[in-house]
Amino acid sequence: MSKVKVSYNPFKLETSVWIEGELVRENSVLNVGSKRLQEWVEHLPNYLYEECNENEFDLDFVGTKMDLEDVEEVVEKAKAEGITIHLTHIPVRELDHMEQRIEEIFQELIEGPIDELKTEDLKASFQQALNDEFEITVVATMSAGKSTLINALLQEKIMPSSQEACTATISRIKDTDAATFTAIPYPTYGEPFEAIEGVTLEQMNELNNDENISMIELHGDIPFTDTKETSLVLIDTPGPNNSRDENHLKMTYKNLSESSKTLVLYILNATQLGVNDDSKLLDAVAESMKVGGKQSKDRYLFVVNKLDQFRKGEDNVEMSLAKVRKYLANRGIEDPHLFPATALPALDIRQILKHPDEVDEELEDEIGPIIRKLNRNEELHLEKYASLTPSVRRKIEAELEAIPDKSIYNMESALIHTGIPGIEHMIKLYVDKYARTAKVKNVVDTFQQKLESSLAFEKMKEAISQQTDKHAKIQLQIEALTEKIQYGTESIEFKAKIEAIDPVRAIRDESKKLLNEQGEQIANHFAGKQSTKLEMGEAEEFAEELLKIAQENFTNLHVRIEQIIEKQLNRAAYDLLNGYREKVTKLMDGMEITGLDFQPYELIQGELEFNQHSIQQIVIKESVKVGEEMYKNPEREGLLGFFKFYEPKLLVRDVYEERQFIDGQSLTDLILTDVNISTRKSINLICDEAAQTTHQIKSTYNKKFDEVDRMLVKKLQELNQFTENANNIESLLEQSRQKLVWLEAMEMKINSIIELEPIHIEEEQSIDYTTI
């Protein structure tokens, strides 16, 4: 049995592995590099087996409790593969401690002796890093209970909810801890409308039904989280069949893609599984879950709603969840995180608990039997079936145990049994594990960049002051450097590189590839269906189905093109920024450019065109037998006919009508031609927009680089003071040395924030991890 030690730092994304006290070699499979633990931890048992050629290990894990749970899960699963791992946790300082240290150090920075660390830029950078929004996208098709579930999370009836398709706009619900909600309506184009403070459900209904409004931003309280920890944003998206704005569907696909890091609540209706057309959305989810390891899987929470609506003798919870697993597996989604829930009772219970003096008697009468049903029927204790981590399950059990009233009438216990509190705990765990750790790293990076600049500058002052015999030469060099910055060729040459940026050609080339893929996908989807003649009514249904598939592919195409633009445009611009920083560093160590904010670029969403008049060109006119009729035999007419008794008096003939048909192949070709024309037009518009955006980026960067040049000249002038007057140098140098000592001490403090700091067992027992 080998002794193994794994140390994982989630803030620095650093993993170290020792076997029998020796660090694993560089080419070892256990040398996982700068990857998040969740990307490789599932392979840990096999990696150990491959490295040591044995199947039993004594493993010490040095890391946070959140990451420990993932290791514990893998250790448990390894048993089925015949690999035994004896796990010991070496606890370290957790998130709360690090965030507290960040606040303390920030105060020290702005109260310290370095003026450039007291600037509004640093404060803004700190606040931006501290308050980065974390988005949760809520996705569902019609009648899954999405709005009701969001209301249950908000503990307020604020989102329109009905049995019909009701969400027609995107709503961004931002947590501000405010007591009431403020709504800011946005039109498709132009400035937002006037904010509505204390917005009501009725007003939200009106806004939702207003065709001039594309998005509603809500500011209020998301009760299960704290803005001090994370700026949470719930995004309520319209279903794929109910969006009046193509940008809505595009946002949904974008947030489902593997490049997105948003948490996704995917809501399924337990009573109508597979009825709604969500196949394309689930395909996008399945594709996204193939990359990124455990984190990709963790970011999808499948909420199976309305599990209280089965009648006795029908499906039970376990059978329903088994059907959901099979349904998702058929879409390529294996072993999903499932969370059975019943959102409406949770919302009603929370309304009663929150506003006991405003309880509607009818609601109270209605909810009473449901509360008793949830408490009495253990099968409906939905938290039992949820994909909860051990720590979350312990919290839920502790919450149930802490309720003094154990009767079947107790609302608090019934609320837990609805499954909604468990979902909230899992959301919070995901935010802590991925968003808050990233936030801590971003803040520390901000501090470090500022300090490195100041440290280098103070060290340069000291170096110049010590070379008294070279002051005249240094003065000449500073003057020459200043002139070079202001009038030299380097900046001109570098700006020429900026002008040379042209990502549009690459965007066009990759877009054409995607366009061809789209045509093949649509053709494959309707393979075999085009060979029949379709009556006009059937043709209309066929065209509608074909257009719907084309629309979804068209939207997905735009999302992928945006990703291409992000790759081709943003990355090129970012590389240029780094190149300029390198150039400045060569001239003067310690210079730093701050305040650049990279925003995703809004692109034009083209409209899908379909030329209705063109359909007449492919109509087939054909006589069709519709019946039979009797008619007099003309051979029996007249005088001679009287004698032709051997001929029948009446004959039967077929009755024909001229009907119009559509050839399925011709209709498909027509629609696909129009789709391709429309898509190509849209790609051209996107490329034009990308060219305009490139021009704007170039202009912004040129201004920023000019500003940095001025900053550098100012720094040079300050350095020149250390060469001009020998009498003042000692005084200036003393000030610089004091600053240098302070900066080096601060650097050590900042670097220590995100170092793993093991704690003693006794100390660990004194920490209340239920708040962490």
Side-chain angles (χ1 to χ4, degrees):
M1 180 172 64
S2 293
K3 178 72 175 179
V4 181
K5 180 181 177 182
V6 175
S7 175
Y8 171 66
N9 188 323
F11 308 97
K12 301 170 75 174
L13 299 185
E14 289 181 354
T15 302
S16 298
V17 182
W18 294 264
I19 297 178
E20 300 297 347
E22 291 189 11
L23 198 64
V24 296
R25 62 191 186 282
E26 191 172 333
N27 62 348
S28 168
V29 290
L30 287 165
N31 193 346
V32 294
S34 300
K35 292 182 181 179
R36 189 174 287 280
L37 176 132
Q38 287 72 24
E39 294 182 53
W40 56 265
V41 70
E42 291 177 309
H43 305 292
L44 178 60
N46 290 330
Y47 285 169
L48 290 172
Y49 179 81
E50 183 178 337
E51 185 74 18
C52 303
N53 196 28
E54 55 183 299
N55 56 10
E56 186 172 2
F57 304 92
D58 190 357
L59 173 63
D60 287 346
F61 176 69
V62 183
T64 65
K65 283 185 170 289
M66 293 180 297
D67 291 320
L68 171 67
E69 287 199 333
D70 292 322
V71 178
E72 288 175 330
E73 181 182 349
V74 168
V75 167
E76 187 63 29
K77 289 181 178 179
K79 292 179 182 177
E81 300 176 11
I83 299 176
T84 302
I85 301 175
H86 306 284
L87 179 63
T88 301
H89 180 220
I90 300 175
V92 297
R93 295 285 186 183
E94 300 281 342
L95 262 174
D96 283 2
H97 171 78
M98 294 178 177
E99 289 176 338
Q100 182 182 342
R101 290 290 296 132
I102 284 173
E103 293 281 357
E104 293 168 355
I105 288 174
F106 179 68
Q107 284 302 121
E108 286 190 63
L109 284 175
I110 61 175
E111 293 171 3
I114 310 298
D115 289 339
E116 61 196 53
L117 296 180
K118 302 178 183 181
T119 63
E120 292 302 318
D121 279 349
L122 177 61
K123 293 178 184 177
S125 298
F126 174 75
Q127 291 301 328
Q128 181 181 347
L130 206 58
N131 298 320
D132 271 351
E133 293 180 351
F134 182 79
E135 295 180 345
I136 299 175
T137 302
V138 188
V139 180
T141 46
M142 192 167 59
S143 301
K146 172 167 59 68
S147 295
T148 302
L149 187 137
I150 292 175
N151 286 336
L153 297 176
L154 299 177
Q155 302 184 14
E156 285 289 348
K157 289 185 178 179
I158 194 72
M159 305 303 295
S161 175
S162 70
Q163 292 303 312
E164 302 173 354
C166 54
T167 304
T169 64
I170 283 180
S171 293
R172 292 186 85 256
I173 308 161
K174 183 173 180 179
D175 185 26
T176 62
D177 290 345
T180 60
F181 281 93
T182 297
I184 306 170
Y186 285 79
T188 304
Y189 303 103
E191 296 298 314
F193 299 131
E194 186 177 351
I196 305 171
E197 296 184 6
V199 68
T200 63
L201 176 61
E202 291 71 26
Q203 289 171 315
M204 283 294 293
N205 260 312
E206 291 174 8
L207 294 174
N208 184 63
N209 293 325
D210 189 337
E211 293 187 357
N212 296 315
I213 294 174
S214 176
M215 186 188 79
I216 305 166
E217 188 167 295
L218 281 167
H219 294 176
D221 185 31
I222 302 178
F224 64 87
T225 187
D226 191 332
T227 53
K228 292 180 181 178
E229 296 175 351
T230 308
S231 297
L232 207 64
V233 178
L234 287 173
I235 301 178
D236 181 16
T237 61
N241 301 322
N242 193 42
S243 174
R244 59 168 168 251
D245 186 339
E246 290 174 2
N247 282 310
H248 294 169
L249 188 56
K250 186 178 77 175
M251 176 181 280
T252 300
Y253 276 113
K254 192 171 184 177
N255 287 353
L256 291 178
S257 71
E258 68 272 11
S259 64
S260 171
K261 298 303 178 187
T262 64
L263 182 65
V264 177
L265 287 185
Y266 198 110
I267 306 172
L268 299 160
N269 184 344
T271 63
Q272 297 180 352
L273 194 61
V275 172
N276 295 316
D277 185 13
D278 56 357
S279 60
K280 278 288 179 183
L281 292 179
L282 289 175
D283 287 345
V285 171
E287 193 66 27
S288 177
M289 290 177 72
K290 290 177 183 177
V291 297
K294 192 175 186 298
Q295 182 176 0
S296 294
K297 179 182 173 182
D298 284 352
R299 82 180 188 95
Y300 289 98
L301 308 185
F302 293 92
V303 180
V304 188
N305 196 22
K306 303 189 178 184
L307 275 171
D308 63 322
Q309 297 186 10
F310 293 116
R311 292 186 177 89
K312 193 171 182 179
E314 294 182 354
D315 283 356
N316 57 35
V317 175
E318 288 184 342
M319 291 173 64
S320 299
L321 294 179
K323 287 182 179 179
V324 171
R325 287 191 181 91
K326 184 177 180 181
Y327 172 64
L328 294 177
N330 290 337
R331 306 301 317 178
I333 300 170
E334 300 289 345
D335 196 21
H337 292 318
L338 295 186
F339 298 87
T342 173
L344 183 57
L347 173 60
D348 290 340
I349 290 170
R350 281 183 159 165
Q351 288 289 284
I352 295 172
L353 291 172
K354 191 172 183 179
H355 307 289
D357 298 332
E358 304 173 16
V359 177
D360 181 276
E361 290 185 9
E362 185 177 341
L363 172 62
E364 199 168 23
D365 292 341
E366 189 176 303
I367 196 66
I370 297 175
I371 291 172
R372 293 193 295 273
K373 180 180 177 182
L374 287 168
N375 283 326
R376 184 174 53 228
N377 188 349
E378 289 192 12
E379 186 187 340
L380 290 179
H381 293 184
L382 300 182
E383 74 280 2
K384 294 192 308 182
Y385 310 94
S387 303
L388 304 177
T389 65
S391 65
V392 170
R393 193 168 297 282
R394 287 193 295 268
K395 286 180 182 178
I396 293 291
E397 291 170 355
E399 289 171 5
L400 280 169
E401 187 62 31
I403 298 172
D405 181 5
K406 306 298 183 185
S407 72
I408 60 172
Y409 305 100
N410 185 270
M411 285 187 287
E412 287 87 350
S413 57
L415 175 62
I416 291 174
H417 298 325
T418 65
I420 297 298
I423 294 170
E424 292 170 338
H425 281 304
M426 288 300 295
I427 292 173
K428 193 171 184 308
L429 179 63
Y430 185 93
V431 169
D432 288 349
K433 185 183 293 185
Y434 298 110
R436 285 178 69 192
T437 53
K439 178 187 72 174
V440 167
K441 182 64 166 59
N442 289 340
V443 174
V444 170
D445 284 347
T446 301
F447 288 166
Q448 286 175 334
Q449 289 166 5
K450 282 292 185 181
L451 279 181
E452 286 169 6
S453 174
S454 298
L455 273 165
F457 191 49
E458 297 305 326
K459 288 177 180 178
M460 185 168 290
K461 288 178 183 178
E462 186 171 14
I464 289 175
S465 67
Q466 290 174 351
Q467 302 183 53
T468 54
D469 58 329
K470 297 180 181 178
H471 280 183
K473 185 177 180 180
I474 291 172
Q475 282 182 355
L476 290 174
Q477 288 178 341
I478 288 175
E479 289 171 6
L481 187 54
T482 301
E483 186 173 348
K484 193 176 180 182
I485 292 167
Q486 293 176 326
Y487 309 110
T489 60
E490 286 81 3
S491 293
I492 296 172
E493 291 173 356
F494 196 79
K495 287 180 180 181
K497 291 181 181 179
I498 295 178
E499 288 303 317
I501 296 177
D502 183 16
V504 176
R505 178 177 295 181
I507 292 170
R508 285 189 189 280
D509 291 343
E510 294 198 44
S511 298
K512 287 177 184 177
K513 293 178 185 177
L514 295 178
L515 183 62
N516 292 333
E517 287 179 17
Q518 173 185 260
E520 290 176 6
Q521 288 172 357
I522 295 174
N524 291 337
H525 185 85
F526 288 95
K529 297 183 181 180
Q530 306 100 314
S531 59
T532 56
K533 292 187 296 184
L534 306 171
E535 290 191 17
M536 293 302 288
E538 293 174 324
E540 288 176 3
E541 292 180 3
F542 183 74
E544 185 177 345
E545 182 185 4
L546 185 57
L547 280 171
K548 184 177 178 182
I549 297 297
Q551 171 71 61
E552 290 179 344
N553 278 275
F554 181 72
T555 302
N556 209 4
L557 174 69
H558 271 220
V559 171
R560 295 174 70 182
I561 290 173
E562 284 193 3
Q563 292 169 347
I564 291 170
I565 289 175
E566 183 176 359
K567 174 185 175 182
Q568 297 293 333
L569 185 63
N570 287 3
R571 186 171 294 173
Y574 194 72
D575 287 345
L576 275 173
L577 176 62
N578 281 337
Y580 190 84
R581 285 178 174 170
E582 289 172 7
K583 170 196 147 183
V584 172
T585 301
K586 291 175 183 177
L587 295 173
M588 179 67 64
D589 287 339
M591 288 300 300
E592 183 63 36
I593 304 170
T594 59
L596 286 183
D597 185 20
F598 292 88
Q599 297 288 349
Y601 304 105
E602 295 292 330
L603 302 176
I604 293 174
Q605 171 78 48
E607 294 183 2
L608 186 63
E609 297 176 359
F610 176 54
N611 300 325
Q612 294 287 351
H613 65 275
S614 302
I615 201 169
Q616 297 302 321
Q617 301 172 9
I618 58 171
V619 171
I620 304 169
K621 293 184 179 180
E622 194 174 285
S623 293
V624 179
K625 178 180 176 181
V626 294
E628 296 177 336
E629 65 179 2
M630 304 290 290
Y631 68 100
K632 290 181 180 180
N633 188 343
E635 295 293 325
R636 296 294 302 267
E637 296 290 328
L639 181 63
L640 293 176
F642 176 80
F643 294 101
K644 295 180 180 179
F645 56 87
Y646 51 85
E647 295 282 354
K649 287 185 177 182
L650 297 176
L651 296 176
V652 178
R653 63 186 176 192
D654 295 331
V655 178
Y656 289 85
E657 280 184 8
E658 187 178 83
R659 291 187 180 178
Q660 294 183 338
F661 292 90
I662 299 290
D663 177 63
Q665 184 63 57
S666 299
L667 177 61
T668 302
D669 292 343
L670 172 66
I671 292 178
L672 288 180
T673 299
D674 283 337
V675 166
N676 278 334
I677 291 172
S678 176
T679 307
R680 290 181 189 278
K681 285 181 180 179
S682 180
I683 288 174
N684 288 334
L685 288 172
I686 287 173
C687 289
D688 290 344
E689 181 69 14
Q692 293 176 18
T693 305
T694 302
H695 177 74
Q696 293 169 0
I697 287 291
K698 290 174 183 177
S699 175
T700 301
Y701 273 47
N702 278 325
K703 290 177 183 177
K704 178 55 65 177
F705 294 146
D706 288 342
E707 178 186 333
V708 173
D709 284 344
R710 288 191 293 272
M711 289 169 56
L712 183 52
V713 169
K714 184 179 178 181
K715 292 279 187 182
L716 290 172
Q717 290 170 348
E718 187 174 342
L719 288 173
N720 206 33
Q721 294 178 17
F722 284 77
T723 67
E724 290 177 342
N725 191 331
N727 295 327
N728 292 334
I729 287 178
E730 195 57 42
S731 173
L732 291 171
L733 186 56
E734 181 57 31
Q735 294 176 22
S736 178
R737 285 170 178 164
Q738 290 177 6
K739 290 179 180 179
L740 192 57
V741 170
W742 183 86
L743 284 166
E744 289 173 342
M746 290 303 299
E747 184 180 42
M748 291 179 63
K749 288 183 180 181
I750 289 170
N751 291 338
S752 70
I753 291 175
I754 55 175
E755 293 295 338
L756 288 185
E757 186 181 348
I759 56 178
H760 298 295
I761 299 298
E762 300 79 12
E763 189 177 0
E764 181 192 17
Q765 292 172 346
S766 68
I767 298 175
D768 181 9
Y769 284 107
T770 60
T771 63
I772 294 176

